[in-house]
Amino acid sequence: MSTHFEEELVMLHGWGMNAAVWDGDWQADWPELRQHRIELPGHGASPFPPSLNNLWRWADACLDAAPARAIWLGWSLGGLVALAAALRAPKRVAGLILLTATPRFVQAADWRPAMPETTLDQFHTELLADPAATLARFLALQVRGSDSARETLRQLREELATRPPPNADALALGLDLLREEDLRGQLPDIRCPALWLFGSHDALVPAAVAERIEMLMPGARTHIIAGAAHAPHLSHPAEFAQAVRSMLAEVRESLA
């Protein structure tokens, strides 16, 4: 039996993570979906050839592994790659779900709800000295402030351990992408339905980004998950699953 593209869901994890972060009970809410858990270059079992040296080539690599047309779900850095894929191949991305993602991760004079650049610089320095400790610190930062921080951190650690560790060069380039990329000016060029999900207690991507998205991308929907930090799909799975279901219904309705 053939599968309609609205039943195809591409899933992109964040920096230093892998496809195992999508394990969870919330998946039972999407029995109709065919999931494509694509690992970013150099993460998990995904190769990292020297040619994959910028955001657009990462997007191309993910498009190469994706079905012909699908809804794309991107978490954090994976959201940035999903946005690039939608800009690169708009006919292949039927809808976007951006989970604690942002078009610009670092602060600027006209973009205050973001990480200070010094935070990413420190991660870069620490990564060279001790990759494992840097990843551990990043995991802790992702759950800081969450209603269920300890349990979410335990779950993240367990899931990540089931897949190969990330490539150090891929981690370094990923930090460069987080620090340097700025897709704010290109958001109006994305015409597919889009849902941006934020955590009210996120220490990496402040929920205040939602207000900026509503101005930059008027057709998009935003939703803030109360009590969540940077990993709402783990800390608040029911609300996350409900938001995704709502988005899928919107995409289907746009086709009717």
Side-chain angles (χ1 to χ4, degrees):
M1 184 177 66
S2 63
T3 303
H4 298 293
F5 78 79
E6 64 267 27
E7 297 169 350
E8 307 275 7
L9 182 69
V10 168
M11 308 169 79
L12 303 180
H13 58 78
W15 181 82
M17 306 292 105
N18 59 50
V21 300
W22 301 118
D23 292 341
D25 295 339
W26 47 266
Q27 301 173 71
D29 291 333
W30 311 339
E32 77 282 11
L33 288 176
R34 178 178 296 178
Q35 297 179 24
H36 302 268
R37 300 177 176 190
I38 297 173
E39 291 182 315
L40 298 178
H43 291 67
S46 181
F48 188 59
S51 59
L52 298 182
N53 57 7
N54 62 50
L55 176 65
W56 303 100
R57 291 183 177 176
W58 279 36
D60 287 341
C62 292
L63 284 162
D64 288 345
R69 190 158 159 80
I71 295 167
W72 285 52
L73 163 60
W75 174 36
S76 194
L77 174 58
L80 197 65
V81 177
L83 288 172
L87 290 163
R88 194 76 143 174
K91 292 183 178 180
R92 296 190 54 191
V93 180
L96 284 168
I97 302 167
L98 293 316
L99 176 63
T100 58
T102 173
R104 180 186 173 99
F105 277 84
V106 298
Q107 291 178 351
D110 60 347
W111 190 257
R112 302 315 298 170
M115 278 187 286
E117 189 169 346
T118 53
T119 300
L120 281 176
D121 289 342
Q122 186 176 355
F123 271 116
H124 240 304
T125 301
E126 293 175 352
L127 186 65
L128 293 173
D130 192 339
T134 304
L135 276 174
R137 177 171 169 252
F138 185 67
L139 286 181
L141 193 56
Q142 290 191 69
V143 303
R144 182 185 298 170
S146 172
D147 289 344
S148 54
R150 183 174 298 178
E151 173 61 23
T152 304
L153 182 58
R154 182 194 63 77
Q155 189 175 350
L156 260 177
R157 286 173 174 160
E158 289 181 355
E159 290 170 347
L160 291 177
T162 66
R163 304 283 296 148
N167 175 287
D169 291 335
L171 289 175
L173 180 58
L175 289 178
D176 288 340
L177 300 183
L178 292 173
R179 181 174 53 198
E180 297 167 9
E181 293 296 334
D182 186 349
L183 298 182
R184 289 179 295 169
Q186 293 168 268
L187 290 186
D189 297 330
I190 297 175
R191 304 302 174 85
C192 65
L195 169 65
W196 296 72
L197 296 173
F198 300 96
S200 65
H201 296 165
D202 194 340
L204 295 170
V205 177
V209 172
E211 299 174 12
R212 305 298 186 95
I213 295 299
E214 289 164 4
M215 291 186 286
L216 292 170
M217 204 175 181
R221 289 196 293 119
T222 63
H223 178 70
I224 298 173
I225 298 178
H230 197 60
H233 57 302
L234 299 179
S235 63
H236 294 68
E239 190 168 352
F240 168 69
Q242 177 56 42
V244 172
R245 274 201 305 272
S246 173
M247 180 61 182
L248 296 174
E250 180 180 327
V251 173
R252 291 179 182 124
E253 186 175 323
S254 71
L255 301 173

